[in-house]
Amino acid sequence: MNKRDQERADKRVAKELEKDANIEIINSTVSKYNPNDLNLNKESGKATSLVSYKRTTEVVKLILRGVRYTDIVEYCEAHWGIKRRMASIYYKKALESFAEQFSEEREYEIDKHQIMLQDLYRKSYKAGDLNLCRLLLQDVAKMKGIVVDRVDVTSGGEGFVFNYQNPSEKE
């Protein structure tokens, strides 16, 4: 076996080990649930909102454990009897729940940061460090989205074109 084939075999083995580890994580995460709670009722053909919420929560837990997208989709197909498209919808709902959670935290962090910048501005103004005050004001303006880019007034913002010719070319 040459070097390239050996590397490919090693990658295959590593991928299988990772997949086995993901299956163990899935089983440890999911073993807390009664599998019948998450299965569809064959008469209805559609998951209730409670089942959908439980499935989304389970997908969130799998994502937090570091399970790959493809393994999550395979798990959903095998255990819940749903298609790949529906599994991807559950995955998308899980990611949206992360976004909602972090957007609230983001607003809090922005407010906290602005208060800290204002405090620094007040202290530097009292100390007479006007250069630091100017920099802090620029940071606050960037946070609020009111930054004005500098424009070259002499050219109206357009680039300069130099038509320089050698003196020998003029003749």
Side-chain angles (χ1 to χ4, degrees):
M1 189 180 285
N2 63 19
K3 185 178 178 181
R4 185 183 69 188
D5 292 338
Q6 183 63 38
E7 287 175 358
R8 287 181 179 170
D10 291 343
K11 284 182 182 179
R12 263 195 308 275
V13 169
K15 196 172 187 179
E16 286 297 321
L17 289 174
E18 183 182 357
K19 191 169 188 174
D20 292 340
N22 284 342
I23 289 172
E24 288 177 24
I25 291 172
I26 288 171
N27 290 335
S28 68
T29 303
V30 178
S31 63
K32 301 172 190 167
Y33 294 106
N34 181 1
N36 294 329
D37 289 346
L38 299 175
N39 284 336
L40 279 177
N41 183 355
K42 293 298 180 191
E43 294 97 36
S44 69
K46 187 176 179 183
T48 63
S49 59
L50 178 63
V51 171
S52 177
Y53 176 76
K54 286 182 178 181
R55 288 178 177 177
T56 304
T57 304
E58 191 169 330
V59 170
V60 166
K61 289 179 181 179
L62 294 174
I63 291 171
L64 290 174
R65 294 270 181 125
V67 179
R68 295 180 315 166
Y69 169 77
T70 53
D71 293 334
I72 292 173
V73 170
E74 287 176 11
Y75 171 80
C76 294
E77 289 176 346
H79 288 82
W80 299 335
I82 60 176
K83 303 252 188 248
R84 181 175 290 276
R85 186 179 188 301
M86 192 65 214
S88 67
I89 290 173
Y90 284 126
Y91 189 82
K92 184 178 177 185
K93 284 182 183 178
L95 294 180
E96 286 172 356
S97 71
F98 286 135
E100 290 172 9
Q101 206 172 13
F102 291 125
S103 68
E104 294 169 2
E105 292 177 15
R106 185 177 186 275
E107 293 297 324
Y108 169 75
E109 290 296 325
I110 288 173
D111 292 341
K112 186 174 105 175
H113 199 74
Q114 280 182 329
I115 291 170
M116 291 168 64
L117 284 173
Q118 288 172 354
D119 187 48
L120 283 173
Y121 177 82
R122 185 179 46 82
K123 288 178 182 177
S124 62
Y125 188 79
K126 282 184 180 178
D129 191 357
L130 298 179
N131 191 30
L132 181 59
C133 289
R134 182 181 57 80
L135 294 173
L136 289 169
L137 286 175
Q138 284 179 349
D139 288 345
V140 170
K142 284 180 188 175
M143 283 179 57
K144 293 183 178 182
I146 54 174
V147 176
V148 178
D149 292 331
R150 293 183 180 181
V151 177
D152 185 7
V153 186
T154 58
S155 67
E158 297 178 11
F160 290 107
V161 178
F162 293 105
N163 292 325
Y164 178 76
Q165 296 177 349
N166 289 331
S168 61
E169 293 177 7
K170 284 185 177 180
E171 297 173 4

